[in-house]
Amino acid sequence: MRWRNKVIKCKAAVAWEAGKPLSVEDVEVAPPEAHEVRIKIIATAVCHTDAYTLSGADPEGKFPAILGHEGAGIVESVGEGVTKVKPGDRVIPLYIPQCGECKFCLNPKTNLCQKIRVTQGQGLMPDGTTRFTCKGKQVFHFMGTSTFSEYTVVADISVSKIDNSAPLDKVCLLGCGISTGYGAALNTAKVEPRSTCAVFGLGAVGLAVVMGCKAAGASRIIGIDINKSKFEKAKEFGANECISPKDYQKPIQEVLVELTDGGVDYSFECIGNVDVMRAALEACHKGWGTSVIVGVAGAGKEISTRPFQLVTGRTWKGTAFGGWKSVESVPKLVCDYMAKKLKVDEFITHALPFDKINEAFDLMHEGKSLRTVLNF
């Protein structure tokens, strides 16, 4: 097998600077080095985390960069030492890798592999360099995936081989949002049968949480959002009832405590708002309620509550990628989707050609889309 291949020229959406629209450019993608994989991306979706970094609020945001972390594609070539995937394999790039060797991977309590954390946060490959060039300038990677490019290069521990019959324009969503919300309920909160749950924020991640709560056997799932147009969809995913904080004079946590005879067993914050995080915790039942932070707050934001909330038995937790150990779990999620045990298609509200990527961001910001899939 030839380890080294040539530089590929292709289309990519470059974020030249914070706060500006992405620019579709011709870029050069270098061949994969040792323990790297070059992937032809077939489809990618737009997530709020991409918008968060593009806004300039992300302390790890580097520019110029190729964003994107919710994609799926086909292995084009591999670097020396790669054994788990080969050219032609269908794969999903992973923003949380799984090396299987670090103390995090060896600990069943976490999915946060740290093998390449430092370089990934710097927008670089594990050897400290980048594989992207545009107009003679080095372009940074993003979240170890950079799926807003027709071709991308990832570490071999940041890729999951999936069922060859899986539709890539659907399962790309399992690279972030759906997996995160679904796992937050099943893995992080460990929602129990007949429990009561509250989900704050009914975007794609919130709906995935609703789906996870239902799968776990929750008897009452309450959706909370200020946008009532989201309520019908939430009920399709399993919410029993939906409420808007705007309809009440008192804080929403007080409303929920009254509605549920003392508070919910589990609550989930899927927005990234620190005030809502507090409300979600305080909506939990005294003695045993658990609240999970799923949303990503802006840089420098801090959470607060009265310590008495925790002293009296509530638990505050957070989740990244829904607690899934990525390399081993994503193929199983794809199989669940293929077996119709997991909704994915229902999250896709728009499909656009890749060069309409800024339109996809507009749809998301305007609250008109759950997920827009971009096809190359």
Side-chain angles (χ1 to χ4, degrees):
M1 181 186 293
R2 288 180 61 202
W3 298 115
R4 300 301 297 267
N5 213 323
K6 61 185 182 192
V7 170
I8 287 178
K9 293 185 178 180
C10 66
K11 295 291 183 186
V14 178
W16 287 108
E17 57 183 298
K20 297 287 178 67
L22 299 178
S23 178
V24 177
E25 306 274 8
D26 291 313
V27 302
E28 291 86 45
V29 184
E33 297 290 343
H35 294 288
E36 294 178 3
V37 179
R38 187 159 63 181
I39 303 166
K40 177 177 173 59
I41 298 292
I42 302 300
T44 183
V46 174
C47 172
H48 280 280
T49 308
D50 301 307
Y52 167 68
T53 297
L54 185 59
S55 74
D58 183 352
E60 277 195 349
K62 297 265 188 178
F63 298 94
I66 294 174
L67 305 176
H69 63 288
E70 212 172 67
I74 299 168
V75 175
E76 177 271 336
S77 59
V78 299
E80 190 173 353
V82 175
T83 58
K84 292 183 178 175
V85 295
K86 64 185 184 303
D89 284 346
R90 292 188 164 217
V91 294
I92 290 178
L94 307 165
Y95 69 89
I96 291 183
Q98 185 185 356
C99 72
E101 300 170 348
C102 70
K103 69 178 182 179
F104 287 79
C105 281
L106 296 174
N107 191 321
K109 295 179 180 178
T110 185
N111 65 326
L112 297 176
C113 172
Q114 297 295 287
K115 183 80 174 280
I116 59 172
R117 180 69 193 92
V118 173
T119 49
Q120 181 171 312
Q122 295 168 341
L124 301 170
M125 294 301 291
D127 68 355
T129 62
T130 173
R131 301 289 163 268
F132 296 120
T133 310
C134 183
K135 297 179 178 176
K137 294 182 179 178
Q138 169 183 278
V139 178
F140 290 106
H141 295 252
F142 174 69
M143 292 177 74
T145 53
S146 291
T147 60
F148 291 170
S149 177
E150 190 178 358
Y151 287 85
T152 189
V153 180
V154 304
D156 63 352
I157 60 172
S158 301
V159 65
S160 195
K161 180 182 175 181
I162 61 168
D163 187 323
N164 264 334
S165 61
L168 299 180
D169 61 340
K170 306 292 193 297
V171 298
C172 60
L173 298 193
L174 294 173
C176 180
I178 296 175
S179 303
T180 297
Y182 192 60
L186 298 177
N187 302 327
T188 309
K190 293 181 169 61
V191 170
E192 296 166 314
R194 297 179 299 282
S195 57
T196 301
C197 303
V199 181
F200 291 76
L202 298 174
V205 174
L207 292 179
V209 172
V210 169
M211 182 168 64
C213 292
K214 184 180 180 183
S219 61
R220 189 177 182 188
I221 304 168
I222 305 168
I224 300 109
D225 203 295
I226 57 174
N227 184 350
K228 291 184 180 181
S229 68
K230 297 181 179 182
F231 291 178
E232 185 180 343
K233 194 82 169 177
K235 289 177 181 175
E236 289 174 20
F237 277 84
N240 302 98
E241 60 205 280
C242 297
I243 58 176
S244 169
K246 288 186 171 180
D247 288 344
Y248 301 92
Q249 297 297 316
K250 61 180 71 172
I252 194 65
Q253 55 264 52
E254 291 181 21
V255 173
L256 286 162
V257 167
E258 288 176 9
L259 277 176
T260 57
D261 187 27
V264 297
D265 301 310
Y266 301 97
S267 71
F268 302 85
E269 197 280 351
C270 307
I271 301 163
N273 181 305
V274 294
D275 296 324
V276 179
M277 291 172 189
R278 176 172 187 162
L281 175 78
E282 295 177 1
C284 284
H285 202 290
K286 183 178 183 179
W288 63 77
T290 295
S291 187
V292 180
I293 295 172
V294 191
V296 178
K301 294 287 187 180
E302 296 183 352
I303 52 174
S304 65
T305 190
R306 290 181 299 116
F308 194 67
Q309 292 284 335
L310 302 177
V311 171
T312 51
R314 295 169 191 82
T315 300
W316 220 347
K317 304 180 81 171
T319 191
F321 197 53
W324 301 108
K325 284 189 181 281
S326 59
V327 172
E328 66 188 51
S329 299
V330 167
K332 295 173 186 173
L333 291 168
V334 170
C335 287
D336 282 349
Y337 160 68
M338 299 292 281
K340 295 186 165 41
K341 295 177 184 174
L342 185 66
K343 290 187 196 309
V344 172
D345 299 30
E346 292 83 353
F347 287 87
I348 301 169
T349 51
H350 298 77
L352 294 171
F354 180 70
D355 60 4
K356 302 275 190 187
I357 188 166
N358 287 309
E359 198 174 306
F361 275 84
D362 291 341
L363 287 166
M364 181 175 64
H365 289 309
E366 292 163 9
K368 293 178 180 175
S369 65
L370 282 175
R371 278 293 188 269
T372 299
V373 173
L374 301 162
N375 297 285
F376 281 97

